[in-house]
Amino acid sequence: MALTKEQQLQYISHLIGECHKCDLYKTATNHVPGHGNANAEIVFIGEAPGEQEDLQGLPFVGNSGKLLDKLLNTIKVPRTDVFICNILKHRPPENRDPLPQEMKVCTPYLKAQLKIIKPKLIITLGRFAMNYFFPEESISRIRGQVRKIIWQELPLTIIPVYHPSAGLRNGAMLKSLQEDFLSIGQYLQKN
Ligand code: URA
């Protein structure tokens, strides 16, 4: 019998838990494969787990996660309806930026997750996740825009937005995030 989407995602999580393709597992407490609804229409992709995420093994459960929850509330999308994950599945020490080699070896897990879930909409949170799909773009230029691409033979619709941590640091970025979530809400109503 075919595996359900949930079972397939669990298998990917298991592989991530055993992954030694880069050194991040050595300093991490837990792997953070991603969490949420296997049948989600929306997938959020952040950068990498932070301290709280590393401790709990869950994505976006620290301060950025709290802001993400508030933004989701504004568009009446329950967190239980979506799937949330990151480009990197283990925390980089001191929350440093992901290294190109780490992204290279880690993103096949993200690809596998997207191929299982086949979401209607992807929201990239921050520069690293945006650059994964749009390597030549800048986040300040394309944030809030609905972009349709064929990626790895999958048709994807992506709305890049600033990372919630930027919204926590900077009032203007918070305003942009709030505006962009309104655009996300409008897109969801129309599609
Ligand atoms: N920042 C991210 O990019 N991802 C998380 O899971 C938490 C904070």
Side-chain angles (χ1 to χ4, degrees):
M1 217 174 66
L3 295 180
T4 63
K5 285 187 174 193
E6 200 151 21
Q7 289 167 328
Q8 293 176 59
L9 287 176
Q10 271 168 10
Y11 177 64
I12 302 299
S13 298
H14 167 78
L15 294 180
I16 294 168
E18 307 219 308
C19 184
H20 291 181
K21 289 184 181 155
C22 77
D23 283 342
L24 293 181
Y25 76 95
K26 293 183 183 169
T27 45
T29 317
N30 286 297
H31 63 298
V32 185
H35 185 74
N37 193 323
N39 296 299
E41 293 196 333
I42 314 174
V43 170
F44 287 83
I45 306 174
E47 177 179 320
E51 186 181 17
Q52 281 307 313
E53 291 76 19
D54 174 64
L55 290 173
Q56 298 183 41
L58 292 168
F60 282 95
V61 288
N63 287 336
S64 292
K66 289 192 185 113
L67 177 55
L68 179 60
D69 286 343
K70 280 190 195 152
L71 291 163
L72 281 171
N73 273 339
T74 64
I75 54 168
K76 310 235 173 335
V77 172
R79 187 162 167 146
T80 45
D81 278 8
V82 306
F83 188 83
I84 304 178
C85 61
N86 285 298
I87 292 282
L88 293 189
K89 311 303 193 188
H90 283 102
R91 181 192 184 198
E94 312 298 329
N95 299 342
R96 65 155 169 73
D97 285 352
L99 300 175
Q101 180 61 16
E102 291 163 353
M103 292 195 283
K104 186 171 174 218
V105 296
C106 203
T107 46
Y109 298 119
L110 173 64
K111 283 183 202 165
Q113 290 171 321
L114 294 178
K115 286 189 174 177
I116 294 164
I117 301 172
K118 295 196 178 58
K120 185 166 99 177
L121 179 63
I122 291 173
I123 310 298
T124 56
L125 302 166
R127 176 167 65 93
F128 281 94
M130 182 278 301
N131 272 148
Y132 178 58
F133 297 99
F134 307 103
E136 307 297 326
E137 281 293 358
S138 100
I139 183 133
S140 55
R141 207 179 82 78
I142 67 166
R143 61 99 187 156
Q145 295 180 7
V146 180
R147 293 281 178 120
K148 291 182 187 286
I149 56 171
I150 304 288
W151 173 87
Q152 313 274 320
E153 296 172 0
L154 274 183
L156 298 181
T157 302
I158 303 178
I159 302 181
V161 304
Y162 286 131
H163 195 284
S165 65
L168 291 173
R169 284 193 304 265
N170 177 315
M173 296 241 182
L174 178 59
K175 198 159 167 283
S176 301
L177 261 172
Q178 288 163 335
E179 284 168 14
D180 292 346
F181 267 73
L182 290 182
S183 310
I184 294 168
Q186 283 164 3
Y187 178 85
L188 292 171
Q189 277 183 354
K190 287 194 209 131
N191 292 274

